[in-house]
Amino acid sequence: MLLEQAIIEVLRKHSSEMKTRDTKPLKCTEITKYLMRDFPDEHRDEPITDKRVRNALKKIINSELSKEDKDKSIRYTVYERNGEEYKTGFWTPKNISDVELKYLIDSVMYSKIFDSETAQDFASRIQQMSGKNLHRMTSYVAGNLFGRQRLTIDVDVLENMRLIMDAAGRDAFISFNFNVYDVVGTKIGLKKKDSYTVKPIQIILNDGRYFMLARYQNNDKPYTFSVDLMSEITINNKICDKVKTENLEKNFNRALYSLQHPYNMGGNPEHFKLRVKRDYLSRVVDVFSYEIEIIPNSITETTVDIKVRASREGMKRLLLFHYDGVEILDPGDEFEEQLMEAVNALCEKYLKK
């Protein structure tokens, strides 16, 4: 490894713009000390000295004079000494900050597609992208500090993703087994439900899980499959049809799809009018985000009327979940009947006689 590369690596691991518990801007002598500790083989032929390190730092700095500060490999503090500029307090701006890396690690640890060992291994590899400060911020990755992941699964979700995306790139169909959680022996586990052959359209992330939108042969209607419940995926190049879904694939908006299909429930989005208690509005914004339209002249001290688009099944679940803060206006006879069926089912189960 070139000395310049080793210096960048030392700064990446041990330096930071502001002083933290584990990192700080480094002096030349401190960089030399870390080099001798972290790269003991680098000074076998020629000893690593402060002079060599300072010359290497100068070489790196001079090579990046035309770059903007945000794009430079090394940043530093400049002050005058005996009428000359002197550089010290070296640090490197990481491409991804420690806080951003912590977010990636937390996303892995809180995901619903990994077993405990895979999540811990993945998060540990992300930790290696930075130094001690990140390790301190995410110390729960090691050992059992985080606790176990979601119910352990035998499905390699990322491998499933690779196969699905490979098939989509080939414009091919896939065949797979679809499983469900069920009682297996005396425990809960995956049990095969059915086998399917479909053509992948898109993959979306919803509530920490990946879902595949796909269509059947000679059918342009999209159906949803949980990627973590799929197994034995094979690419089937022999099946083809003449259904054109270019517009669906080209214009598909992942974020909008998630907003218009609450709880990932399929179906065509419809317009709904809702009366929402303003104390509960944050919950509704969590679901529909920027898709909410306030109905003019509907704002009171306690409520506001809004318009949203959602699948019917998704809306039904939202109303049941937020029964104490959201009311549907003008539901229509058919949808009102569906809501009554759900409410009556609850009454039959829990209404005290």
Side-chain angles (χ1 to χ4, degrees), residues 55-66:
N55 287 336
L57 286 166
K58 185 176 180 180
K59 183 177 179 181
I60 297 171
I61 292 169
N62 288 340
S63 70
E64 299 183 334
L65 289 177
S66 61

Side-chain angles (χ1 to χ4, degrees), residues 39-156:
F39 301 96
D41 294 336
E42 294 298 316
H43 62 281
R44 284 182 177 178
D45 298 328
E46 188 175 0
I48 295 178
T49 63
D50 287 350
K51 183 177 180 179
R52 280 193 66 207
V53 171
R54 185 162 293 283
N55 287 336
L57 286 166
K58 185 176 180 180
K59 183 177 179 181
I60 297 171
I61 292 169
N62 288 340
S63 70
E64 299 183 334
L65 289 177
S66 61
K67 294 183 178 181
E68 295 185 20
D69 285 349
K70 64 181 181 65
D71 298 322
K72 292 179 178 179
S73 302
I74 292 180
R75 304 283 289 277
Y76 47 85
T77 300
V78 179
Y79 69 91
E80 286 193 6
R81 185 174 66 180
N82 299 326
E84 295 185 6
E85 285 190 349
Y86 185 78
K87 298 179 179 67
T88 189
F90 298 95
W91 58 281
T92 182
K94 301 177 179 67
N95 292 330
I96 305 178
S97 70
D98 283 347
V99 173
E100 291 168 328
L101 288 170
K102 172 179 166 56
Y103 173 74
L104 293 179
I105 288 172
D106 289 343
S107 296
V108 170
M109 299 301 289
Y110 281 98
S111 72
K112 298 179 180 179
I113 66 171
F114 298 123
D115 60 30
S116 297
E117 291 183 1
T118 303
Q120 185 174 339
D121 175 68
F122 196 173
S124 296
R125 284 183 281 137
I126 296 176
Q127 282 182 327
Q128 302 309 312
M129 298 173 67
S130 190
K132 293 181 179 179
N133 192 46
L134 178 64
H135 281 72
R136 178 181 60 80
M137 293 166 59
T138 57
S139 59
Y140 44 81
V141 168
N144 296 317
L145 297 178
F146 186 87
R148 296 181 63 182
Q149 300 297 113
R150 179 176 176 261
L151 184 64
T152 301
I153 59 177
D154 297 324
V155 176
D156 187 338

Side-chain angles (χ1 to χ4, degrees), residues 264-327:
N264 207 40
M265 301 306 299
N268 294 322
E270 304 176 31
H271 288 283
F272 292 96
K273 294 180 181 180
L274 304 176
R275 177 160 292 159
V276 183
K277 290 182 180 179
R278 292 175 66 174
D279 289 344
Y280 286 76
L281 189 57
S282 294
R283 300 186 186 182
V284 178
V285 173
D286 284 343
V287 179
F288 294 109
S289 187
Y290 55 80
E291 281 289 288
I292 295 175
E293 179 184 346
I294 295 179
I295 298 176
N297 304 316
S298 70
I299 302 173
T300 71
E301 289 186 3
T302 57
T303 66
V304 60
D305 296 348
I306 63 173
K307 291 180 182 178
V308 297
R309 274 172 58 83
S311 65
R312 182 170 293 197
E313 194 64 25
M315 177 55 66
K316 183 175 73 174
R317 279 166 167 71
L318 179 133
L319 291 169
L320 292 171
F321 187 74
H322 298 289
Y323 68 93
D324 50 348
V326 182
E327 174 188 356

Side-chain angles (χ1 to χ4, degrees), residues 9 24 53 81 95 116 187 228 256 259 261 288 348:
E9 186 65 18
K24 64 177 183 177
V53 171
R81 185 174 66 180
N95 292 330
S116 297
K187 298 181 179 180
D228 56 307
L256 190 60
L259 296 180
H261 294 79
F288 294 109
E348 289 178 8

